[in-house]
Amino acid sequence: HLANNNKGNMAASLDQVIEEKTDTVALMSHSPFETETELNKSMQAIDKGAFHVSQREAKTHQENLQHLCRICGSSFKTDPYKRSHPVHGPIDDEMQVLLRKKEKKAISWPDLLAKVFKIGVKGDIDTIHPTKFCHQCWTVVQKKLSNSPYEMFFPRRSPVEWQSHSSSCDVCGTSPRGVKRKKQVLNPQLSKKLRMVAGRVRKIRQIKNPKQVNQKSLMKKIASCKKIHLSTKILAVDYPSDFVKSISCQICEHILADPVETTCKHLFCRICILKCLKVMGSYCPACCYPCFPTDLVSPVKSFLSIMNSLLVICPVKDCQEEVCLGKYCHHLSRHKEIK
């Protein structure tokens, strides 16, 4: 009887141990799945938080861009009048009047900015690029169109390169004065050349000598264009002396042939001015303002049409025919064919 009781107790204890083990195995088998789901939930919460943070940062980045200039990166807050102009849009009335005077065509700002600053703004993205530019850059465009010196307002060909938002973003961590431009490495040869030209101009202005009267004759000798350019004496009409001066070269004093205009608004024959710049230095022969061959531009079309419509008397013997200046070369070629 005792033996049977002991066997029963042993069996009951064994059954309890087996049940406990099965419960632990079941718990062990279920716990990894539960931990994985909890981890996934926490990761999703972190991702949502990071997404909201990045979205907020992108929004603040775009708001900061609205206060900066697209071209030079300066802040509109520095301007006391808070003036700004849209990058994408029609040109304002004042600029249209200036373009009409210069006989140039541009309908929208992207076309004009591409001509002046050599940058394309048509493919701009609002999250990367500002949508406005400052009044200082507008002044540069105005000075460029009117052929006035504009280096004092903005360095040439140095617009800001805009990047997308990142951890080390210049736009979000910038001062209220705007984005800093990278310092340009000056070309030592060019700076030396500019110093030499400025020194030469200074010396010419300081020297007050009677020999300066002979400077015109010296320039005429350098140009030596008597055989290829027409004299003002062959004009068919007796124009006023001021008008004759306006259509004649200030170096050779002949009628302008292939006229070019300098930054300081003086007119010369292309061959004459290029020869003088090569021999006498890079300054205007009329006013000694620094001038380089790259600064020479063609005058407006209306002035060229007036030049071509001038009547001149053919200097060939036994001809004395009155011909328009624009058709003079064709008329002269007929004489050569007859000969």
Side-chain angles (χ1 to χ4, degrees):
H1 181 71
L2 286 167
N4 289 330
N5 285 334
N6 288 332
K7 282 180 184 177
N9 290 329
M10 285 290 288
S13 62
L14 282 168
D15 290 336
Q16 283 180 0
V17 170
I18 289 162
E19 283 177 4
E20 285 176 1
K21 283 185 178 180
T22 52
D23 289 339
T24 52
V25 169
L27 284 167
M28 287 292 287
S29 62
H30 285 299
S31 62
F33 293 106
E34 288 175 1
T35 51
E36 280 180 10
T37 52
E38 285 175 2
L39 282 169
N40 288 332
K41 283 179 182 178
S42 62
M43 286 294 288
Q44 283 175 2
I46 290 163
D47 289 338
K48 281 181 182 177
F51 174 73
H52 286 306
V53 168
S54 63
Q55 201 173 10
R56 202 184 305 119
E57 283 181 1
K59 195 175 180 181
T60 53
H61 176 79
Q62 197 168 353
E63 285 174 2
N64 290 333
L65 285 174
Q66 299 305 316
H67 300 291
L68 298 176
C69 173
R70 166 67 178 87
I71 299 158
C72 67
S74 61
S75 177
F76 299 139
K77 293 175 183 177
T78 56
D79 186 5
Y81 301 103
K82 302 289 187 296
R83 293 168 294 184
S84 62
H85 306 272
V87 173
H88 302 281
I91 297 166
D92 55 88
D93 296 336
E94 192 174 345
M95 200 63 71
Q96 279 181 357
V97 170
L98 189 61
L99 285 166
R100 209 177 293 117
K101 281 183 181 177
K102 301 301 289 184
E103 295 181 348
K104 293 180 181 179
K105 289 182 180 179
I107 301 165
S108 61
W109 277 116
D111 299 332
L112 199 58
L113 294 174
K115 285 180 182 178
V116 176
F117 296 106
K118 310 293 186 221
I119 55 168
V121 296
K122 288 182 178 179
D124 282 5
I125 304 165
D126 292 346
T127 54
I128 299 173
H129 304 93
T131 55
K132 295 177 182 179
F133 64 98
C134 63
H135 191 72
Q136 193 175 4
C137 295
W138 183 90
T139 311
V140 174
V141 177
Q142 187 187 30
K143 295 286 179 184
K144 176 69 177 176
L145 290 175
S146 57
N147 290 338
S148 300
Y150 60 94
E151 290 81 5
M152 59 186 291
F153 294 99
F154 189 83
R156 282 186 186 179
R157 295 176 187 175
S158 59
V160 175
E161 292 181 3
W162 300 94
Q163 303 293 336
S164 56
H165 180 66
S166 62
S167 57
S168 59
C169 182
D170 292 331
V171 175
C172 297
T174 187
S175 64
R177 292 183 178 275
V179 178
K180 284 187 178 179
R181 285 194 295 269
K182 290 180 181 179
K183 288 185 179 179
Q184 288 184 325
V185 180
L186 291 172
N187 188 356
Q189 292 181 352
L190 184 64
S191 59
K192 188 180 178 182
K193 189 177 179 181
L194 287 168
R195 283 200 302 272
M196 286 171 67
V197 170
R200 199 176 294 155
V201 170
R202 207 179 294 114
K203 283 178 183 177
I204 289 165
R205 284 178 178 175
Q206 285 173 358
I207 296 166
K208 290 183 180 179
N209 206 336
K211 289 181 180 178
Q212 281 186 351
V213 180
N214 298 325
Q215 192 176 6
K216 274 200 171 183
S217 60
L218 177 64
M219 286 193 292
K220 282 181 183 180
K221 285 179 183 178
I222 292 166
S224 62
C225 59
K226 194 175 181 180
K227 293 180 181 179
I228 55 173
H229 290 166
L230 299 173
S231 173
T232 53
K233 292 177 182 178
I234 66 166
L235 289 167
V237 183
D238 188 15
Y239 294 108
S241 58
D242 291 334
F243 179 77
V244 174
K245 281 181 182 178
S246 67
I247 60 164
S248 59
C249 174
Q250 296 195 30
I251 294 171
C252 64
E253 295 180 350
H254 294 146
I255 298 171
L256 287 163
D258 191 11
V260 288
E261 187 181 348
T262 60
T263 313
C264 46
K265 302 285 185 182
H266 292 118
L267 291 167
F268 303 94
C269 302
R270 190 182 290 275
I271 296 169
C272 300
I273 185 69
L274 288 174
K275 283 181 180 178
C276 283
L277 291 176
K278 191 176 181 181
V279 176
M280 301 188 72
S282 299
Y283 63 91
C284 176
C287 64
C288 297
Y289 188 82
C291 176
F292 298 94
T294 52
D295 297 331
L296 302 174
V297 293
S298 182
V300 292
K301 291 178 183 177
S302 55
F303 179 80
L304 294 174
S305 64
I306 291 166
M307 286 287 300
N308 292 327
S309 63
L310 292 172
L311 289 172
V312 293
I313 299 167
C314 180
V316 178
K317 287 182 180 179
D318 303 326
C319 181
Q320 301 296 313
E321 188 180 340
E322 290 185 1
V323 190
C324 290
L325 189 63
K327 297 177 181 178
Y328 176 76
C329 291
H330 179 67
H331 176 79
L332 199 65
S333 62
R334 282 194 295 171
H335 284 296
K336 288 178 181 178
E337 284 174 6
I338 292 164
K339 284 184 179 180

